[in-house]
Amino acid sequence: MSESIRNSPRKWLKNPAKVFLGPAERGDPTLPVVHRHDEFEQASEADLAGFEVEEDSEGHHYAVRKEHPPAPPPEPPMKYADWSGKKPLHTEG
Protein backbone atom coordinates (compact mmCIF):
# COMPACT_ATOMS: atom_id res chain seq x y z
CA MET A 1 0.00 0.00 0.00
CA SER A 2 1.42 3.35 -0.91
CA GLU A 3 2.18 5.97 1.72
CA SER A 4 -0.41 8.40 0.31
CA ILE A 5 -3.24 5.84 0.64
CA ARG A 6 -2.14 4.69 4.12
CA ASN A 7 -2.35 8.23 5.55
CA SER A 8 -5.36 9.38 3.55
CA PRO A 9 -8.58 10.54 5.26
CA ARG A 10 -10.43 7.77 3.45
CA LYS A 11 -8.78 5.18 5.70
CA TRP A 12 -9.92 7.09 8.81
CA LEU A 13 -13.48 7.23 7.47
CA LYS A 14 -13.55 3.52 6.74
CA ASN A 15 -13.70 2.67 10.45
CA PRO A 16 -14.47 5.81 12.51
CA ALA A 17 -15.05 3.81 15.72
CA LYS A 18 -11.39 2.81 15.69
CA VAL A 19 -10.43 6.49 15.70
CA PHE A 20 -12.36 7.19 18.93
CA LEU A 21 -12.27 3.82 20.71
CA GLY A 22 -8.94 2.43 19.57
CA PRO A 23 -8.29 -1.04 18.20
CA ALA A 24 -10.53 -3.90 19.25
CA GLU A 25 -9.34 -6.06 22.14
CA ARG A 26 -9.59 -9.70 21.32
CA GLY A 27 -9.42 -12.28 24.08
CA ASP A 28 -9.07 -16.03 23.91
CA PRO A 29 -12.37 -17.39 22.47
CA THR A 30 -11.85 -20.75 24.21
CA LEU A 31 -12.09 -19.23 27.70
CA PRO A 32 -15.53 -19.16 29.36
CA VAL A 33 -17.35 -15.84 29.62
CA VAL A 34 -16.99 -14.22 33.05
CA HIS A 35 -20.24 -12.69 34.27
CA ARG A 36 -19.91 -9.90 36.78
CA HIS A 37 -22.93 -9.59 39.02
CA ASP A 38 -23.13 -5.82 39.33
CA GLU A 39 -26.04 -3.74 40.64
CA PHE A 40 -27.64 -3.40 37.19
CA GLU A 41 -27.65 -7.15 36.61
CA GLN A 42 -29.08 -7.82 40.06
CA ALA A 43 -31.84 -5.27 39.45
CA SER A 44 -32.62 -6.89 36.08
CA GLU A 45 -32.82 -10.35 37.64
CA ALA A 46 -35.11 -9.05 40.38
CA ASP A 47 -37.38 -7.44 37.77
CA LEU A 48 -37.48 -10.57 35.59
CA ALA A 49 -38.29 -12.74 38.61
CA GLY A 50 -41.76 -11.17 38.59
CA PHE A 51 -42.66 -12.79 35.24
CA GLU A 52 -43.76 -16.27 34.20
CA VAL A 53 -43.25 -17.63 30.71
CA GLU A 54 -46.42 -19.15 29.26
CA GLU A 55 -47.02 -20.94 25.99
CA ASP A 56 -50.22 -20.78 23.97
CA SER A 57 -51.74 -23.58 21.86
CA GLU A 58 -49.75 -22.50 18.79
CA GLY A 59 -46.41 -22.70 20.59
CA HIS A 60 -45.86 -18.96 21.06
CA HIS A 61 -44.13 -17.94 24.28
CA TYR A 62 -44.96 -14.80 26.19
CA ALA A 63 -44.30 -13.37 29.61
CA VAL A 64 -47.03 -12.78 32.18
CA ARG A 65 -46.47 -10.77 35.34
CA LYS A 66 -46.97 -13.08 38.32
CA GLU A 67 -48.80 -10.53 40.41
CA HIS A 68 -49.54 -6.88 40.16
CA PRO A 69 -47.96 -4.90 42.95
CA PRO A 70 -50.43 -2.79 44.90
CA ALA A 71 -50.47 0.89 44.03
CA PRO A 72 -48.72 3.00 46.64
CA PRO A 73 -51.01 5.28 48.63
CA PRO A 74 -51.03 8.89 47.53
CA GLU A 75 -48.64 11.12 49.39
CA PRO A 76 -50.11 13.93 51.47
CA PRO A 77 -49.63 17.41 50.01
CA MET A 78 -46.52 19.18 51.17
CA LYS A 79 -46.98 21.92 53.74
CA TYR A 80 -44.50 24.74 53.90
CA ALA A 81 -43.91 26.91 56.94
CA ASP A 82 -45.03 30.50 56.51
CA TRP A 83 -41.94 32.54 57.30
CA SER A 84 -43.01 35.74 55.56
CA GLY A 85 -46.08 36.56 57.66
CA LYS A 86 -47.85 37.83 54.53
CA LYS A 87 -51.41 36.91 53.61
CA PRO A 88 -51.51 33.89 51.24
CA LEU A 89 -52.38 34.57 47.61
CA HIS A 90 -54.53 31.47 47.14
CA THR A 91 -56.37 29.57 49.82
CA GLU A 92 -57.56 26.02 49.52
CA GLY A 93 -61.32 25.72 49.92
Side-chain angles (χ1 to χ4, degrees):
M1 187 181 288
S2 71
E3 189 67 29
S4 63
I5 294 175
R6 186 177 299 140
N7 294 328
S8 72
R10 185 177 295 185
K11 183 178 180 195
W12 289 97
L13 294 175
K14 185 176 180 183
N15 189 359
K18 188 175 181 182
V19 173
F20 297 106
L21 303 175
E25 295 180 14
R26 302 192 195 288
D28 186 5
T30 60
L31 294 175
V33 177
V34 177
H35 293 282
R36 294 181 179 91
H37 293 282
D38 57 357
E39 294 175 3
F40 180 75
E41 187 172 352
Q42 291 172 354
S44 296
E45 288 177 358
D47 189 34
L48 291 175
F51 291 95
E52 280 183 359
V53 177
E54 294 189 5
E55 183 177 352
D56 62 8
S57 60
E58 297 177 4
H60 299 111
H61 294 86
Y62 54 96
V64 176
R65 191 173 295 276
K66 290 181 182 177
E67 59 185 46
H68 295 288
E75 296 183 13
M78 295 187 76
K79 301 284 184 182
Y80 296 99
D82 183 18
W83 300 102
S84 68
K86 296 180 181 178
K87 188 175 181 182
L89 295 175
H90 301 283
T91 57
E92 295 178 14

